[in-house]
Amino acid sequence: GAGVSQSPSNKVTEKGKDVELRCDPISGHTALYWYRQSLGQGLEFLIYFQGNSAPDKSGLPSDRFSAERTGGSVSTLTIQRTQQEDSAVYLCASSLGMFLQGNYGYTFGSGTRLTVV
Amino acid sequence: SQQGEEDPQALSIQEGENATMNCSYKTSINNLQWYRQNSGRGLVHLILIRSNEREKHSGRLRVTLDTSKKSSSLLITASRAADTASYFCATVGSSNTGKLIFGQGTTLQVKP
């Protein structure tokens, strides 16, 4: 697609439920990233996929968080047993991956606003 | 963890004035990028400056990088009301894994 697509755009869930957030990156982008942004805050890195390499999971806040990327394209971020502190906007981005010539940055999706009640 | 700090946290100016935002970071970098965010949703990439560059221009944007001070600045000249947004700097470390670490951002308000 023309841009990074995230779904759903909004999700309200009850505390303790599991949620899945989806990200469709730009076709051909080998790198995919998940970030979390709480209200009025900066972006917190969660996880990073680069091609067939093992993902960098160093930003996942707890073992309730996991992510996978199937076929090097679509990614799903799963939060198990959601807590109120998980409420945030979850942003996905993709890029051409390991450092290439030219001036490129990351392309972000519009995010999923997760509210845990 | 956040890479560094941005200064100021909030900035309010009149249309036509210049806006300067500063960013400091902690570790050696491969490149530094600036992004804009409107209404708390998706971010838009503005400009990238590599560690061996000192200044870069794009339209009304001017970015400087001082690796000795581990700092960067973003200057928006002749600001417009439409420039009202949050601005974030982000860095890719010198190990160049590609991972982008963001600062806390500067909220800019441009009054018409």
Side-chain angles (χ1 to χ4, degrees):
Chain A
V4 177
S5 177
Q6 291 189 246
S7 60
S9 57
N10 287 283
K11 175 72 176 180
V12 180
T13 189
E14 292 181 352
K15 178 181 174 181
K17 301 281 189 183
D18 297 352
V19 295
E20 285 189 351
L21 312 179
R22 177 185 169 105
C23 173
D24 280 275
I26 291 175
S27 178
H29 279 193
T30 60
L32 186 147
Y33 316 81
W34 284 97
Y35 291 85
R36 176 170 73 173
Q37 186 177 32
S38 300
L39 187 64
Q41 300 296 311
L43 275 74
E44 176 188 3
F45 168 78
L46 297 178
I47 188 168
Y48 162 44
F49 296 89
Q50 169 56 52
N52 295 321
S53 303
D56 179 344
K57 304 179 182 180
S58 60
L60 294 178
S62 77
D63 59 9
R64 295 187 296 106
F65 288 72
S66 63
E68 62 177 21
R69 188 178 185 191
T70 54
S73 181
V74 172
S75 177
T76 302
L77 176 69
T78 300
I79 309 173
Q80 296 178 311
R81 304 180 303 281
T82 52
Q83 304 294 313
Q84 287 185 329
E85 60 263 29
D86 299 334
S87 296
V89 175
Y90 288 81
L91 291 160
C92 175
S94 69
S95 78
L96 286 168
M98 292 302 289
F99 208 68
L100 299 173
Q101 297 293 329
N103 182 11
Y104 75 94
Y106 294 18
T107 302
F108 279 82
S110 296
T112 294
R113 184 179 301 280
L114 175 66
T115 304
V116 182
V117 297
Chain B
S1 62
Q2 301 302 324
Q3 167 66 300
E5 298 179 355
E6 293 185 58
D7 166 50
Q9 289 187 332
L11 180 61
S12 182
I13 59 174
Q14 292 295 134
E15 206 166 25
E17 295 180 337
N18 296 340
T20 299
M21 289 161 269
N22 302 297
C23 165
S24 62
Y25 56 91
K26 297 175 181 174
T27 60
S28 297
I29 63 170
N30 179 284
N31 69 73
L32 184 145
Q33 305 178 28
W34 284 90
Y35 287 80
R36 183 183 71 212
Q37 184 179 41
N38 292 88
S39 304
R41 282 301 190 123
L43 282 76
V44 175
H45 177 253
L46 296 176
I47 196 165
L48 178 153
I49 186 166
R50 304 186 195 287
S51 60
N52 61 352
E53 297 175 312
R54 292 296 166 258
E55 188 170 314
K56 206 159 186 179
H57 297 257
S58 176
R60 294 184 294 113
L61 305 180
R62 172 178 169 254
V63 169
T64 62
L65 179 65
D66 187 335
T67 53
S68 66
K69 296 181 179 178
K70 290 187 168 59
S71 67
S72 173
S73 67
L74 171 67
L75 169 68
I76 304 175
T77 59
S79 63
R80 305 166 182 169
D83 294 329
T84 295
S86 292
Y87 292 82
F88 293 89
C89 71
T91 55
V92 174
S94 55
S95 60
N96 197 18
T97 62
K99 188 165 76 177
L100 196 62
I101 302 297
F102 284 81
Q104 293 287 358
T106 293
T107 300
L108 172 66
Q109 181 185 29
V110 181
K111 299 175 183 177

